[in-house]
Amino acid sequence: MPDLANEVVDHRFKALPPDAEGLTVGELAAQRRNLFTGGFTTPVLALSAESVEHNLRLLEEYAERHGLAFAPHGKTSMAPQLFDRQIEHGAWGITAAVPHQARVYRAHGVARIFLANELVDAVALRWLAAELDADPDFRFVCYVDSVRGVELMDEALRVARAAASADTGPADARPVDVVIELGAGDGARTGARTEADCAAVADAVAAATTLRLVGVAGYEGEVPQADEEKVRAWLRRLTALAAEFDKAGRFAPEIGEIVVSAGGSAWFDTVAEVFAELPALSLPVLKLLRSGAYVSHDSGHYRTLTPFNRVPEEGALEPAFRLWAQVVSRPTPEQAFTNAGKRDAAYDLHLPEAQVVLDARTGEVRPADGIAVTGLSDQHGWVRTEAGADLEVGDWLGMGLSHPCTSFDKWQLIPLVEADGTVVDYIRTFF
């Protein structure tokens, strides 16, 4: 398993202090430098240590309270240090979307992976077969949604078995655990569209000795024109499918538990509600939630969508990102430019939100009153200032971001910062 603390700091990592060149990440973290006075260059993305810890604890408690297992989607951060923290806070495992992500997870010791996608790539399936053979404690589950997909999986896994037998002799290869993905409706993303389609896929799985059916799953965030009523209706279709499959004897007793999985970051309260209605089945049920954006939350998209807005008595997530950029030009009283642009900030859903100003003369932090980000170039932020707005060249502008998934992926090493500016760790990402 890679030792991230021993990675050497150099030019590959944006914003880190130039005088830290040659130190290991662990050595730099031990210095506990200040983000604003410790030699960091701008722009620099920071994560709040306190907010990350708060969010980890909140979702752990929420899942426990509602009888849910939890496999947060790792594609949000692709940060093994955060995966470790999520598992320490009760996560069953980590969700992936593509084979590369699963390889990163395995390289960093993740023992349970839920691939919330179809897997028909023969090369990736051969890799998976080798991982399962090499580690009897490794648990892997993925989607299937078509008979053709099952055929492709079975063919690739049979080839992998034959190759392994030729190299090491006959062995009892473990089947790959799969769940039938129920599509979220016409015009939605992947997933079998009807219950009859799901049954046909399940029949194909039963005929394939390389696969084992362990449950049903889907993603309610793809329900067309989603609202609470439509999401609830689709989730009830999903749980009814699990009950029908169980009644029909499609789940072999040796699987130990039936997996029923859904739950992005926008509707997990409704998922919890409907999953609680699931009647007793012939085996225990692993009710698996997959929300990923919670770990950092945000100051835009998920601030609006979070289910905690509907159930405030359950708590509230805290935005953990802040992008700091420096004002490099103030050409008119109405206009300023920072040195952070599209290469540094998420912009696919909303522009960054100006929140605070760090005064270059005094070091004091004040609200960014009358200041708004209006656009991004590749390396510049366009800032509009109202009359009387206090902003000058050299000041640092602290901005909230929208959409965690496209914030993490622009930074390879992100300072984890306490409220007083002390950097206590560096979060490594692998996109």
Side-chain angles (χ1 to χ4, degrees), residues 89-115:
H89 281 269
W92 171 92
I94 305 294
T95 295
V98 292
H100 158 70
Q101 294 167 359
R103 290 185 62 204
V104 171
Y105 299 2
R106 289 298 290 160
H108 291 88
V110 176
R112 292 173 176 166
I113 298 174
F114 186 98
L115 188 77

Side-chain angles (χ1 to χ4, degrees), residues 189-212:
R189 207 162 59 190
T190 53
R193 291 304 196 248
T194 69
E195 282 73 5
D197 292 337
C198 291
V201 177
D203 288 341
V205 171
T209 58
T210 61
L211 304 177
R212 183 172 73 161

Side-chain angles (χ1 to χ4, degrees), residues 40-247:
F40 293 84
T41 62
T42 56
V44 56
L45 180 67
L47 274 171
S48 162
E50 293 89 351
S51 293
V52 167
E53 177 61 29
H54 168 85
N55 294 341
L56 289 167
R57 192 182 325 111
L58 182 63
L59 258 291
E60 176 185 21
E61 294 170 353
Y62 182 90
E64 289 178 353
R65 192 157 54 243
H66 292 277
L68 299 169
F70 195 28
H73 212 316
K75 56 103 175 170
T76 298
S77 70
M78 288 303 295
Q81 292 149 287
L82 294 181
F83 300 164
D84 289 346
R85 297 280 301 281
Q86 288 169 315
I87 291 168
E88 289 168 6
H89 281 269
W92 171 92
I94 305 294
T95 295
V98 292
H100 158 70
Q101 294 167 359
R103 290 185 62 204
V104 171
Y105 299 2
R106 289 298 290 160
H108 291 88
V110 176
R112 292 173 176 166
I113 298 174
F114 186 98
L115 188 77
N117 205 348
E118 283 66 31
L119 179 58
V120 297
D121 183 320
V123 174
L125 285 161
R126 290 197 293 272
W127 168 83
L128 172 62
E131 285 291 301
L132 289 168
D133 287 346
D135 184 356
D137 294 324
F138 173 37
R139 178 82 193 277
F140 179 89
V141 181
C142 73
Y143 284 176
V144 290
D145 76 347
S146 69
V147 172
R148 176 59 177 157
V150 169
E151 292 171 350
L152 289 168
M153 293 185 75
D154 187 47
E155 179 182 350
L157 292 167
R158 285 178 183 274
V159 169
R161 282 182 176 179
S165 295
D167 289 340
T168 62
D172 292 330
R174 284 195 287 159
V176 172
D177 287 346
V178 298
V179 291
I180 306 296
E181 183 191 7
L182 175 66
D186 292 337
R189 207 162 59 190
T190 53
R193 291 304 196 248
T194 69
E195 282 73 5
D197 292 337
C198 291
V201 177
D203 288 341
V205 171
T209 58
T210 61
L211 304 177
R212 183 172 73 161
L213 183 65
V214 298
V216 299
Y219 176 45
E220 75 290 341
E222 279 292 308
V223 171
Q225 293 82 50
D227 59 27
E228 194 167 351
E229 182 179 349
K230 291 175 183 174
V231 168
R232 185 179 290 109
W234 178 83
L235 286 164
R236 285 177 174 154
R237 283 183 61 199
L238 183 69
T239 55
L241 181 67
E244 182 58 34
F245 275 11
D246 187 50
K247 182 179 179 182

Side-chain angles (χ1 to χ4, degrees), residues 272-407:
E273 175 190 329
V274 175
F275 279 12
E277 300 170 355
L278 187 65
L281 303 182
S282 63
L283 294 168
V285 178
L286 183 73
K287 301 174 183 178
L288 195 61
L289 188 69
R290 305 192 306 271
S291 311
Y294 80 98
V295 68
S296 66
H297 197 45
D298 74 3
S299 297
H301 185 66
Y302 288 103
R303 176 176 61 188
T304 301
L305 291 182
T306 177
F308 288 115
N309 292 338
R310 294 186 291 271
V311 287
E313 67 278 7
E314 299 257 25
L317 294 168
E318 297 177 358
F321 277 125
R322 180 160 282 169
L323 176 65
W324 290 95
Q326 196 165 28
V327 178
V328 295
S329 180
R330 189 79 158 94
T332 73
E334 298 80 26
Q335 189 74 61
F337 291 89
T338 69
N339 60 352
K342 293 179 181 178
R343 308 294 186 184
D344 313 297
Y347 60 94
D348 56 317
L349 296 177
H350 302 97
L351 290 170
E353 176 185 78
Q355 295 178 333
V356 294
V357 175
L358 176 70
D359 192 296
R361 296 180 186 275
T362 67
E364 295 179 354
V365 176
R366 59 177 177 271
D369 295 334
I371 300 170
V373 178
T374 58
L376 295 175
S377 300
D378 279 358
Q379 308 288 180
H380 290 89
W382 294 62
V383 178
R384 185 184 68 247
T385 55
E386 298 176 1
D390 190 2
L391 189 69
E392 67 175 354
V393 170
D395 290 344
W396 286 30
L397 182 62
M399 296 169 284
L401 301 178
S402 179
H403 199 184
C405 301
T406 52
S407 298

Side-chain angles (χ1 to χ4, degrees), residues 2-9 23-27:
D3 186 350
L4 298 178
N6 284 329
E7 190 160 16
V8 175
V9 174
L23 296 176
T24 67
V25 172
E27 289 168 342

Side-chain angles (χ1 to χ4, degrees), residues 16-20 28 31 33-41 396 421 426:
L16 296 194
D19 67 352
L28 180 57
Q31 292 181 356
R33 297 196 185 196
N34 186 278
L35 186 71
F36 308 112
T37 62
F40 293 84
T41 62
W396 286 30
Y426 296 83

